[in-house]
Amino acid sequence: MRDRELVSALRSGDVSAARACGLLFDAHGARLYRRCRSMLGDHGAAVTALRDTFVVARAHIDQLGDPRRLAEWLSAIADTECERLRAAVEAADTPRWEEDQTVFPVASLRVRVLTGATAPELAAYHARVARRADRFDRAGFPLPPRCQRPVPPSSYLIPGLIIVACALALTALVVIEMAGLSSQPLTAWMTRPPHTAG
């Protein structure tokens, strides 16, 4: 299947997740695995990066502007996933992978990657992978993690400060009411009958 037909099939929605990832793997899986393996130097890490590459590709296939660039687009996603995985290992301060020269048959690699990329019981994981990889440039190519903008503090600080201010104001009102410092009960407005024009 040519790349244009593959992109069309993936975008149609008529192809199941397992079939879509199978088509992607058959067309590009071995090449992408070699790319991930050369970047990470470890079979298990390469499988993880390749699995997540297919999850991202399936979730964001509509981002790809030119279907003729599918191979290039998949390579960019794989590079981004490898970079993200390498950064996570470094941030966790775990030992780097040992260089692994073992050769794995493509058939067993296919089963392992596709099972991880399409298993229904991993739907929450797939959604998380798709969400974290949602920044693309104008051509539809993924931005590497180092180029992605962090969430600005204002997006979570301002709502938090507003909540804290409201809680403090409410607490102050309760203390004033309980201490009897107000000349009239602060809740009097709730029991007062509405004023009617005469």
Side-chain angles (χ1 to χ4, degrees), residues 17-96:
R19 177 84 174 122
C21 287
L23 292 170
L24 282 174
F25 188 94
D26 293 342
H28 299 282
R31 174 185 63 80
L32 291 171
Y33 170 74
R34 287 191 301 274
R35 187 180 190 98
C36 294
R37 178 87 178 250
S38 71
M39 289 180 74
L40 299 170
D42 177 77
H43 169 70
V47 168
T48 298
L50 183 57
R51 175 200 63 205
D52 290 354
T53 296
F54 288 141
V55 170
V56 171
R58 192 166 51 90
H60 298 291
I61 189 66
D62 290 333
Q63 294 289 338
L64 177 61
D66 183 355
R68 294 172 299 182
R69 298 182 71 188
L70 177 64
E72 185 184 352
W73 185 69
L74 289 169
S75 294
I77 294 173
D79 292 352
T80 300
E81 292 305 313
C82 287
E83 190 176 326
R84 193 184 315 277
L85 191 57
R86 191 181 307 123
V89 167
E90 288 170 3
D93 200 24
T94 55
R96 289 191 61 85

